[in-house]
Each structure stands twice: as C-alpha cells, then as structure tokens.
Amino acid sequence: CSSDLAPVIARSPNSWWQQIQLGKGSLAGIDSGDAVLGPGGLLGIVESVTPTTTRVRLLTAPGSRIGVWTFRNKRHGLLIGIGTNRPQLRYLDKEPQALPGDLVSTSPASTLLPPNLPIGVVQFLNKESLPAPEASVQLMASPEAIDWVQVQKN
C-alpha cells in the first residue's frame, strides 16, 4: 500500500474531535475509506473527497467505529468515538485480560483498514461495564496538534 503526505488545512471549532480537512484530494489519488495517520498512529478514515480536498472522520468523532485489538493478548473489540480526545474500546470478550498500557491497533480481521496500524494505549479499564469491559484509549497521534498527515491506500 502506498502513502502520501497531505497538509491539514481546516478544523471546525465546533467539531474539533470529529473531522479535519486536508489540502489534497482525488487528484492526488486519495479515496474514501483510506486510512489517515499522524505521527505515532491512526487518526481517522477518509470520509469524502473532492479533486483538491479531503474530509477525514477522526477516530474520536461520535459514532466512529472500527475493529481493533490489543496486541499483547490478541483480544478484539470496537473502538468507538465519543466526541472527546479518548475514544472508548468496547471489548467483544467478557474476560479481555487487558491492562493499562496495552497497545491498541487495527484488527488483523478488519476488511476496512490495513491490519496492525498502531492506534493508542489502554489508559483505564472498566471491568464492571456490561455486556463486556470497556477501556479508555489514549491515541498515539494527537488530532488536536496535527499539521500534516499521511494518507495510506487500503
């Protein structure tokens, strides 16, 4: 898979954790569904493209959902954006044996994104959450502090 650097040209103050606008588009070969990475890891997914711009839905956006896993124990879950800088990881397993500090990456089972892209680190685990435990995830790439991103073809 090839990748291309693109500048972040706009953010909406009222949707800071939802989307960013890039200064490249379909003329640069960017397509809907491409992975968007910042320094350290995955930031979001290309939502829409014009010839010269791209709108990226951030992992932190409410309703954003991607398949992930914690690398150490190979446990799968869904990373769900809730509109803050820390998305929630909802495990699919009632006993995920996750620990704070576990690395979270894209799932090898995912058909939407390349496997094993780094995303973040488990910060806090709520084992009482039903139907399965949930964790708060600190992203490796900070969407609020990014000026350039890498767009990776799927």
Side-chain angles (χ1 to χ4, degrees):
C1 38
S2 65
S3 61
D4 200 8
L5 284 178
V8 175
I9 58 168
R11 286 182 173 86
S12 170
N14 57 356
S15 60
W16 197 258
W17 302 110
Q18 294 182 38
Q19 65 185 33
I20 55 176
Q21 197 91 5
L22 307 181
K24 281 189 178 177
S26 58
L27 293 175
I30 297 173
D31 291 313
S32 287
D34 285 351
V36 178
L37 296 93
L42 184 68
L43 279 172
I45 299 170
V46 172
E47 190 172 58
S48 62
V49 184
T50 72
T52 57
T53 64
T54 296
R55 188 167 66 214
V56 177
R57 181 177 210 181
L58 298 172
L59 298 179
T60 50
S64 167
R65 300 168 94 87
I66 64 164
V68 298
W69 74 332
T70 44
F71 194 77
R72 179 184 59 81
N73 55 7
K74 316 272 189 273
R75 293 289 203 253
H76 291 266
L78 268 180
L79 189 72
I80 300 169
I82 57 172
T84 70
N85 64 340
R86 290 198 178 158
Q88 292 294 307
L89 170 49
R90 193 166 297 154
Y91 284 98
L92 303 180
D93 191 325
K94 288 193 187 319
E95 294 290 328
Q97 286 128 23
L99 298 169
D102 278 352
L103 179 65
V104 178
S105 61
T106 54
S107 170
S110 173
T111 54
L112 298 176
L113 292 164
N116 299 315
L117 292 175
I119 293 174
V121 176
V122 171
Q123 288 293 301
F124 171 79
L125 187 64
N126 178 359
K127 294 180 178 160
E128 309 306 312
S129 185
L130 294 172
E134 289 184 356
S136 177
V137 175
Q138 174 68 53
L139 297 179
M140 289 181 172
S142 304
E144 73 278 8
I146 238 118
D147 294 322
W148 286 85
V149 296
Q150 186 180 27
V151 179
Q152 188 168 331
K153 306 294 295 167
N154 294 344

